[in-house]
Every structure is written in C-alpha cells, then in structure tokens.
Amino acid sequence: MGRVSAPQSPLFGSVADVAERLAGVGYLASTAVATTVYLADRLGKPLLVEGPAGVGKTELAKAVAQATGSGLVRLQCYEGIDEARALYEWNHAKQLLRITAGQGQESWDETRDDVFSEEFLLPRPLLTAIRRSDPTVLLIDEMDKADVEVEGLLLEVLSDFQVTVPEMGTISATRRPFALLTSNSTRELSEALKRRCLFLHLDFPDADLERRIVASRVPELTEAMVDALVRTVRVLRTLELRKSPSVAETIDWGRTLLALGLDTLDDDAVRATLGVVLKHQSDTVKAASELRLN
C-alpha cells in the first residue's frame, strides 16, 4: 500500500511570479507574503499563517489554488474534531452488511481482509489531499480551534506527507500538496508542529495596500470614497472593540455604499451602514461615540 513520496513540482517560478499570479486572481500580496509563499512552494514545506481574524489567511490558500489551477482540499478545524473527521473512517454500515452476507460462506480471515479494504474506506480531507495525483492545495483552517491531540495526527502528515492505516498500511503522497495552516492565535500551537512549517504572521494591511485591495475589488468606487473608507476603518481598528473590522468588511462596506447610491462617507452614511463592519452592539455604540455620530 505504501508509495514513494515525491515533492510537488514547483507551482511558482519566482517571488515576482507569486505576486503577479496572486494579483491576477484578486489577491494583492505584500513582498513578505509573496516571498514566504514562494519559499514554502520551493522547499516543499507546510506554511503556517497566523494573525487576527479577517486579514486574508484563508483567502491566501484559495488564491494560491486558483492562481495555480490546483485543487483545494479544506479541513475546517473545530473543537472536538477527531481522526475520523480529519484523516479517514470506515464505512461501518457497509462493513456490517458485508460481514452478514459472508456468514457461512467464507472464513473470518477472508471476510476481514475484504471489509478492511479500499471499498469500505471513507477518506477525509487529509487522506484525500495525500492521495490526489493532481496539483493540490491542502488548507488546514483555524488549527488553533482543534484540540492539542489533533496536532499529533498532523505530525506524520506534515513531516512525510503520509498516513498510516493500520489495516491497510502506509499511504504516501505521490505528489505532495502545498499545505497551508491558519491560526487566529487563540491558543499556542505545539513546537513540534511549528518546526515542520514555515511561519508567516499576517496582519491588517497598511493603508496603501488596503486602498489598492478595495479599489481592485470594488472598482466602481471613486478614489476619494476608497480613501475615506480605509481611513475610517483604520480609526475603528484603533478602538478596543470585541471584533475589529476585517479587510473583507471594508470591501463589503464599499459595496454597500454603492448599492445605496451614496457617493460620500458622511456621518449619515456611516450611521446607516455601520452594521456592515461592526457586528456587536457594544462596538457600534463605542464607535458612534468615538466618531461623534449623533
């Protein structure tokens, strides 16, 4: 069952190629982001991207997949996720039917060899990504939400890009996926996991980059409106809010103003649409006070 694992052929030719191709699918990457993505691709190392929610960590994986024509396999982590949801599980109902059908007609050894075979295996995201022969981006999203025990499951996958199924043997990747893990830093990940990855901290973009992102996603907005949006959002991020507005919410705000036919971001416009970027009443009250909205 084991196969020789081979590195994936490089997806990008240079740092400039990364930046250009990501921009081509609407993801404007800084030099640091483009460089780290290039190195992860060239070295065949998983990439761990940490940072606050809404800065584009998940979107980076999607953009790499889109820019390179790779398939995207996503493992969404959550509290309580286990091996059966991350790696694989057996189709127990189908196995039971097979055992029942074989009673009295064959030995248990024959039945056992059959029920623990490919036909009864249900691959989950990690095993699915390893078995793919086409270019693949493996996104392990919000790793910090999973229990510490799940990190142990990932060590074999991220070290050797292989999965051991006790009943079948070791399954190794014939073409290694580009693996990207995200974390919102709600808990510290283990050193063993971090050692296997390149690291990138992704924060909110600077004002110039955010203006370019908004302008590219909402090209109908005037330059003055884009500037006003970005300046207002950056003020909101300086406040001690429960949830600071993300770049995606800046974009949504711009689209909202267009949909309402508004061409200026005056107090009335901010008051009417603040719920697009702030999702907690306490944040809205605090922002209205700081922005002096009556």
Side-chain angles (χ1 to χ4, degrees):
M1 193 66 183
R3 295 178 292 183
V4 177
S5 176
Q8 176 167 299
S9 300
L11 299 172
F12 300 101
S14 65
V15 173
D17 183 43
V18 174
E20 181 179 348
R21 291 168 68 183
L22 291 183
V25 296
Y27 192 100
L28 301 183
S30 66
T31 300
V33 171
T35 300
T36 310
V37 168
Y38 171 74
L39 290 174
D41 173 47
R42 185 62 53 157
L43 299 176
K45 299 269 288 184
L47 173 57
L48 171 61
V49 186
E50 286 190 343
V55 296
K57 303 184 297 294
T58 301
E59 290 303 313
L60 177 58
K62 294 179 179 178
V64 170
Q66 188 177 355
T68 59
S70 300
L72 178 68
V73 177
R74 180 175 183 171
L75 172 62
Q76 179 63 55
C77 296
Y78 53 88
E79 185 177 355
I81 191 172
D82 58 11
E83 181 176 359
R85 295 300 175 187
L87 285 171
Y88 68 91
E89 62 181 326
W90 294 104
N91 188 331
H92 298 301
K94 191 174 181 180
Q95 284 177 320
L96 182 59
L97 288 173
R98 173 64 183 83
I99 292 170
T100 303
Q103 285 181 343
Q105 302 176 33
E106 59 187 17
S107 68
W108 165 242
D109 287 340
E110 291 173 322
T111 302
R112 181 189 57 202
D113 291 342
D114 191 17
V115 297
F116 288 112
S117 63
E118 182 70 33
E119 180 183 354
F120 300 88
L121 185 67
L122 297 175
R124 298 309 183 195
L126 296 179
L127 182 55
T128 296
I130 281 180
R131 300 176 80 183
R132 281 175 55 87
S133 58
D134 295 328
T136 301
V137 172
L138 169 61
L139 168 61
I140 303 173
D141 213 7
E142 298 186 301
M143 183 67 229
D144 52 321
K145 288 188 176 180
D147 298 329
V148 175
E149 291 76 15
V150 176
E151 293 185 30
L153 300 177
L154 288 174
L155 297 183
E156 181 183 23
V157 175
L158 298 180
S159 293
D160 304 313
F161 289 94
Q162 65 181 27
V163 169
T164 299
V165 181
E167 298 85 354
M168 298 175 64
T170 299
I171 304 172
S172 299
T174 55
R175 184 185 183 101
R176 290 190 179 189
F178 180 99
L180 189 149
L181 299 78
T182 75
S183 168
N184 294 332
S185 303
T186 59
R187 71 169 177 85
E188 190 72 20
L189 300 181
S190 70
E191 290 301 321
L193 182 65
K194 287 185 173 182
R195 280 197 304 270
R196 287 158 173 80
C197 304
L198 296 185
F199 177 79
L200 173 66
H201 180 79
L202 201 58
D203 211 335
F204 293 111
D206 60 32
D208 179 62
L209 180 55
E210 188 161 14
R211 279 192 292 268
R212 290 195 290 121
I213 292 171
V214 175
S216 70
R217 294 296 185 92
V218 197
E220 301 88 351
L221 287 176
T222 64
E223 185 176 341
M225 182 66 90
V226 171
D227 187 63
L229 276 172
V230 171
R231 281 190 288 105
T232 305
V233 166
R234 292 179 69 81
V235 170
L236 294 175
R237 289 181 187 145
T238 65
L239 308 179
E240 294 184 1
L241 303 177
R242 288 181 62 185
K243 168 66 172 65
S244 292
S246 68
V247 178
E249 286 158 344
T250 309
I251 294 168
D252 286 344
W253 204 4
R255 289 172 176 159
T256 298
L257 297 173
L258 278 179
L260 294 174
L262 301 175
D263 55 8
T264 58
L265 192 64
D266 56 20
D267 286 356
D268 289 338
V270 172
R271 187 183 305 107
T273 60
L274 200 55
V276 175
V277 289
L278 300 181
K279 307 303 170 65
H280 298 279
Q281 178 61 19
S282 60
D283 288 349
T284 301
V285 172
K286 179 178 290 187
S289 174
E290 294 292 333
L291 296 174
R292 294 182 172 82
L293 302 177
N294 298 320

